[in-house]
Amino acid sequence: MLSRKGIIPEEYVLTRLAEDPAEPRYRARQRRARFVSKNGNCNVAHKNIREQGRFLQDVFTTLVDLKWPHTLLIFTMSFLCSWLLFAMVWWLIAFAHGDLAPDEGTVVPCVTSIHSFSSAFLFSIEVQVTIGFGGRMVTEECPLAILILIVQNIVGLMINAIMLGCIFMKTAQAHRRAETLIFSKHAVIAVRHGRLCFMLRVGDLRKSMIISATIHMQVVRKTTSPEGEVVPLHQVDIPMENGVGGNSIFLVAPLIIYHVIDANSPLYDLAPTDLHHHQDLEIIVILEGVVETTGITTQARTSYLADEILWGQRFVPIVAEEDGRYSVDYSKFGNTIKVPTPLCTARQLDEDRSLLDALTLASSRGPLRKRSVAVAKTKPKFSISPDSLS
C-alpha cells in the first residue's frame, strides 16, 4: 500500500514481517502446519460447535468480530427494519382512528398528514432520526401515539449506540495497531556472552510508542506423555531477554530480543542438523502493550518454524547516529551476517567448553592472518633506486 501511494520506493516496502522480496513467495515443498502464521493469525479451524446460542449472549462482541460486509449489512438492516416496523405501527394507529380518510374539519388526527403507508414510513424516519420536516406531527388527540413516539425514540437511541459503538470498535481494533509492529522474517542462533542464544529482531514503524510493552515466547511441538497421551500442541514458555533484562522492553527503536539456551531451555538439545522443514518445532513470539494514543491493549504475534531459524548468524546493526539524532535503516531490518558458531547443541557446548575456546581462538587469528597477507601483497606505487640518487 505504501508503494502504491509513492511514499517509499518499491524495493524498500516493508511487510508485516520485513520479508525478502527476492525470495519466492510460494514453495513447492511440504512443511508442517503452523499454529500461528507469520502475520500473527492463529491457524485453527473451529468445527462442530453445537452451542451456537452462546454467541448471541454477547451480541456486541459477535458484531465486532464479524467481517465488514456482514457488519454493514446488519447496520443497514437494523435501521431499515425499525423504520418499517414503526411505520406499520403508525399506519395502524391512523387506520384505527380513521385518519386515512378524515372529514374536513371534523376529525383531529393522531398524526397530521398521514394518508397512506408511504406517509407513515416517512413519519417513522423523521421521528427516529429527528429530521422533522414540519409536514407531519403528533397531536394531543391520541395518548397511544404519544407513547409510541417515546418508544420509537428510545429504540432509535439504542440502535444508534450499539451500531455506532460497533463501527467505532471495528475501526479502532487493537490488531490494526499491531500491523505496524514488525518482526524479522528469520530468527538466528549464535554465541552471545559465551552462550548459545536464540535471537530475533522486533521493531515499531510508528512514532507513537507502545507503553508497557512485554514480549513472551513459547515453543509448540507434538509430545507424548509418559502415560502414552499424545499432546498435538504442547506449549512451553521460555524466558526472553533484552538489552536491559526482563520481559519489558522500551520499543523506541528496533531491538534484538534473545533467549539464552541453557539447561532449562527446550532448545537445549537443538542441533544445526535439526533446522529443516520436517522438524516438529515452532517458536511463537507474542508482543503485548498499550497503544499510547488510544489506551487500548494490542498484541502482535509471529512464529518461526525450524527452517526459518538460521544457525551461526546474527543481525546487522541498523541504528546509527546522524546529525545529532539516531537514524534507523529499515531496509536492513532482517539482514544477517555469518559469525563463528559451534556446530553442536547447547548441551554439548556446556559439557565441552573447549569447543568455544577453540572457535574464539580461530576467529581471533583469522583477521590478523588476512591482514598480514594483504600487507605482504601490497606494492608501493613508486620507489627510489640508488642509481637515481647518484
Side-chain angles (χ1 to χ4, degrees):
M1 181 178 65
L2 294 176
S3 62
R4 291 198 299 268
K5 295 183 178 180
I7 299 177
I8 57 178
E10 179 70 25
E11 61 271 17
Y12 293 147
V13 173
L14 287 174
T15 64
R16 169 71 187 280
L17 304 164
E19 297 182 353
D20 185 7
E23 185 174 346
R25 180 175 298 178
Y26 302 102
R27 300 180 180 179
R29 64 185 184 185
Q30 294 182 354
R31 56 198 309 175
R32 65 180 300 272
R34 310 184 77 107
F35 184 52
V36 176
S37 61
K38 295 295 285 184
N39 60 4
N41 296 327
C42 296
N43 188 24
V44 179
H46 300 276
K47 297 181 178 180
N48 299 327
I49 300 178
R50 298 180 181 180
E51 299 181 1
Q52 299 287 346
R54 292 182 177 270
F55 294 100
L56 298 179
Q57 296 178 5
D58 188 7
V59 179
F60 185 78
T61 304
T62 303
L63 291 176
V64 174
D65 291 339
L66 291 176
K67 295 182 180 180
W68 271 108
H70 299 160
T71 301
L72 295 178
L73 178 62
I74 295 176
F75 180 85
T76 304
M77 294 303 297
S78 62
F79 285 102
L80 185 59
C81 291
S82 64
W83 295 339
L84 290 172
L85 175 63
F86 283 99
M88 179 61 67
V89 174
W90 290 117
W91 185 84
L92 290 176
I93 292 176
F95 177 78
H97 194 258
D99 298 340
L100 298 181
D103 297 332
E104 293 292 337
T106 58
V107 178
V108 178
C110 294
V111 181
T112 60
S113 302
I114 289 186
H115 306 292
S116 62
F117 182 79
S118 299
S119 58
F121 180 72
L122 291 175
F123 179 71
S124 177
I125 297 176
E126 294 173 9
V127 169
Q128 191 160 328
V129 300
T130 63
I131 294 177
F133 292 114
R136 283 169 286 270
M137 68 183 70
V138 178
T139 63
E140 301 176 356
E141 181 70 17
C142 301
L144 180 60
I146 299 176
L147 178 62
I148 296 300
L149 178 66
I150 296 173
V151 172
Q152 184 173 5
N153 278 290
I154 294 175
V155 172
L157 290 175
M158 293 179 61
I159 294 176
N160 287 335
I162 295 175
M163 298 310 303
L164 294 180
C166 176
I167 296 297
F168 173 77
M169 291 301 297
K170 286 188 68 67
T171 55
Q173 278 185 335
H175 68 271
R176 302 300 179 187
R177 178 61 176 88
E179 294 294 335
T180 52
L181 297 173
I182 60 174
F183 301 89
S184 57
K185 182 182 179 182
H186 294 92
V188 298
I189 293 180
V191 176
R192 173 178 280 195
H193 305 302
R195 305 295 297 271
L196 281 177
C197 296
F198 173 88
M199 293 176 283
L200 61 101
R201 177 175 276 165
V202 60
D204 188 2
L205 300 180
R206 291 189 181 274
K207 291 184 178 180
S208 59
M209 293 181 54
I210 299 295
I211 304 173
S212 302
T214 58
I215 194 162
H216 307 277
M217 188 170 71
Q218 292 181 343
V219 172
V220 178
R221 64 193 343 167
K222 183 179 180 179
T223 59
T224 304
S225 65
E227 296 77 15
E229 180 185 3
V230 178
V231 183
L233 296 174
H234 181 62
Q235 304 179 27
V236 180
D237 290 332
I238 56 178
M240 295 291 290
E241 297 185 10
N242 53 68
V244 297
N247 290 336
S248 299
I249 59 177
F250 184 54
L251 197 58
V252 67
L255 296 176
I256 296 178
I257 311 298
Y258 67 95
H259 158 67
V260 179
I261 306 177
D262 53 14
N264 298 323
S265 172
L267 306 179
Y268 196 51
D269 294 319
L270 184 67
T273 55
D274 297 330
L275 301 181
H276 52 81
H277 62 279
H278 292 298
Q279 178 69 18
D280 184 17
L281 174 66
E282 183 176 358
I283 300 176
I284 300 174
V285 182
I286 303 172
L287 173 63
E288 294 181 345
V290 179
V291 182
E292 182 181 23
T293 54
T294 61
I296 301 176
T297 302
T298 186
Q299 184 182 94
R301 300 178 296 267
T302 190
S303 68
Y304 299 95
L305 297 182
D307 59 336
E308 296 172 343
I309 302 175
L310 306 179
W311 190 282
Q313 299 196 30
R314 73 172 170 219
F315 295 103
V316 299
I318 61 174
V319 181
E321 187 175 356
E322 297 179 359
D323 299 330
R325 63 188 305 179
Y326 291 98
S327 175
V328 181
D329 185 5
Y330 280 99
S331 65
K332 302 178 182 178
F333 184 83
N335 292 3
T336 60
I337 57 174
K338 292 185 178 180
V339 292
T341 306
L343 299 177
C344 62
T345 64
R347 181 188 297 275
Q348 295 172 347
L349 186 61
D350 290 342
E351 295 174 352
D352 188 4
R353 300 298 296 181
S354 62
L355 297 174
L356 183 61
D357 297 337
L359 189 67
T360 304
L361 181 61
S363 61
S364 61
R365 289 180 178 179
L368 296 177
R369 187 181 299 110
K370 292 181 180 180
R371 183 177 180 181
S372 61
V373 172
V375 173
K377 291 184 179 180
T378 303
K379 295 182 180 180
K381 296 182 180 180
F382 62 92
S383 61
I384 301 177
S385 62
D387 296 337
S388 62
L389 297 176
S390 58

